Amino acid sequence: MKLYTSHGPNPRVVDRFLAEKDVRIPTHWVDIMVAENRRDPYLSEVNPAGTIPALQLDDGTHVSDVIAICEYLDERFPDRPLIGRTPEKRALSRMWTRRVDLMVCEPLANGYRFDQGLAIFSNRMRCLPEAAAGLKAVARDGLQWFEAHFEGPWLSGVSFTLADIMLATFVDFGNEIARQPLPLDLRRLQAWLSRVHERLGVTNFR
Amino acid sequence: MKLYTSHGPNPRVVDRFLAEKDVRIPTHWVDIMVAENRRDPYLSEVNPAGTIPALQLDDGTHVSDVIAICEYLDERFPDRPLIGRTPEKRALSRMWTRRVDLMVCEPLANGYRFDQGLAIFSNRMRCLPEAAAGLKAVARDGLQWFEAHFEGPWLSGVSFTLADIMLATFVDFGNEIARQPLPLDLRRLQAWLSRVHERLGVTNFR
């Protein structure tokens, strides 16, 4: 296997997923700052959608989606499961992961791409600057919803899962890069974020 | 198990998934037109996020996310797999499913909610009418991308998967309800949609 990785929250989700599982995979760095991921050979040989990360499997196939990659790694390396040991637990962690994805990660990231990130992203995808403020508000609504419905200790209950890694990584991105800080009055999420950092070891975005 | 279902593309994805697997589950109809899903007891007892569908498992837990539900059903009823028989096949179908989700389903559905659906949805969620036209354009871009990268016979290759069911169901929703028709010049997708309809049996939205 070989992992194509770079800056940004999505590659960092896979880095943290692998670290938590204590699995190491050879990596290939892709320089997204010069759009290496938006031209050949990356587009033709690795991922025609141009996104990072991508995982080359042993049979040469490329899987280029952060959740599909994490699901695959959890199947291939079943020790320390991060999606769940049973169908019922997997169902719950997948539910929480997609809630995180649609309610926070996507609107937060697009709020960034369509505003501070516009100079970088406007040549790479259709950007909607008119939606930036609204998307950031949607992401804040999502965080408030998680605050209100968080039972803990982790999002999916007693087990630490991909849902925690995804939300924490995008919240870190909001705090450090995207100027969408986690509000201080969301105390349960603030305490949860500290627990995630303690567990994973805090690292700043490269 | 019990399936909470209603109008709309997400419940229909699960209906089609079950039909293709030839599995029947008792259902409970939720009247979303009078917002039964946005108040108790649905919110407190089934799904605090207020979305449909939701699946009550045999242990009483509720799984309320369309993809998590389909993953669970594919694990519980492994005949006629619709996500994949091996980790490698599952990785590819999950990649295609999330591409479909983020590139077409989400922007198409939000383009509808923020425009024709505004009267229904403005009391239920934060709506961004200023983003409606742009989101519809993003969904069209996504469809064009699938047209260009479709190898077939199905999205994920030789196997019919959840990715096909999701995309076809949201394209049907665009054609029948959301006034976002699949462009006629996307010939490979038009032919693929006909194949999906032939396989599943065509039904109009209720």
Side-chain angles (χ1 to χ4, degrees), chain A residues 47-49 57 59 61-68 71-72 75-76 87-88 90-92 94-95 98-99 101-102 106 126 128 130-131 134-135 137-138 141 145 149 166, chain B residues 47-49 57 59 61-68 71-72 75-76 87-88 90-92 94-95 98-99 101-102 106 126 128 130-131 134-135 137-138 141 145 149 166:
Chain A
N47 177 12
L57 308 187
D59 65 5
T61 312
H62 293 93
V63 180
S64 50
D65 173 79
V66 60
I67 292 176
E71 288 267 6
Y72 181 77
E75 292 199 47
R76 278 290 306 273
E88 289 72 26
R90 284 192 284 277
L92 288 179
R94 286 171 179 146
M95 171 181 78
R98 191 153 180 265
R99 282 179 176 167
D101 190 22
L102 298 186
E106 277 295 303
R126 185 186 294 270
L128 312 178
E130 70 277 16
L135 288 168
V138 168
D141 292 346
W145 187 90
H149 296 90
M166 283 228 4
Chain B
N47 178 12
L57 308 187
D59 65 4
T61 312
H62 293 93
V63 179
S64 49
D65 173 80
V66 60
I67 292 177
E71 288 266 7
Y72 181 77
E75 292 199 46
R76 277 290 305 275
E88 288 71 26
R90 285 192 285 276
L92 287 179
R94 287 171 178 145
M95 171 181 80
R98 193 154 179 265
R99 281 179 177 167
D101 190 21
L102 298 186
E106 278 295 303
R126 184 186 295 271
L128 312 178
E130 71 276 18
L135 288 168
V138 168
D141 292 347
W145 187 88
H149 295 90
M166 282 220 17

Side-chain angles (χ1 to χ4, degrees), chain B residues 84-117:
Chain B
R85 244 182 235 286
T86 66
E88 288 71 26
K89 288 185 176 175
R90 285 192 285 276
L92 287 179
S93 83
R94 287 171 178 145
M95 171 181 80
W96 283 101
T97 297
R98 193 154 179 265
R99 281 179 177 167
V100 160
D101 190 21
L102 298 186
M103 296 170 76
V104 177
C105 304
E106 278 295 303
L108 187 154
N110 281 331
Y112 168 76
R113 293 183 187 115
F114 301 165
D115 186 0
Q116 299 100 313

Side-chain angles (χ1 to χ4, degrees), chain A residues 23-91:
Chain A
V23 168
R24 284 163 193 79
I25 289 176
T27 59
H28 178 93
W29 183 265
V30 180
D31 191 349
I32 60 172
M33 302 312 282
V34 297
E36 195 183 335
N37 55 317
R38 301 285 171 171
R39 59 174 183 254
D40 287 339
Y42 189 81
L43 281 183
S44 57
E45 290 177 13
V46 180
N47 177 12
T51 57
I52 306 278
L55 182 67
Q56 182 181 302
L57 308 187
D58 290 338
D59 65 5
T61 312
H62 293 93
V63 180
S64 50
D65 173 79
V66 60
I67 292 176
I69 289 171
C70 291
E71 288 267 6
Y72 181 77
L73 294 170
D74 224 35
E75 292 199 47
R76 278 290 306 273
F77 306 101
D79 286 350
R80 308 189 188 191
L82 289 172
I83 293 175
R85 244 183 238 288
T86 66
E88 289 72 26
K89 288 187 175 175
R90 284 192 284 277

Side-chain angles (χ1 to χ4, degrees), chain B residues 140-186:
Chain B
R140 282 197 304 274
D141 292 347
L143 290 168
Q144 277 167 353
W145 187 88
F146 285 106
E147 174 76 12
H149 295 90
F150 184 80
E151 295 183 356
W154 307 111
L155 282 172
S156 186
V158 295
S159 300
F160 182 81
T161 72
L162 174 59
D164 298 290
I165 294 178
M166 282 220 17
L167 184 60
T169 303
F170 279 80
V171 165
D172 286 343
F173 180 68
N175 278 330
E176 296 171 28
I177 305 280
R179 289 184 226 154
Q180 297 176 63
L182 181 65
L184 291 175
D185 63 344
L186 302 188

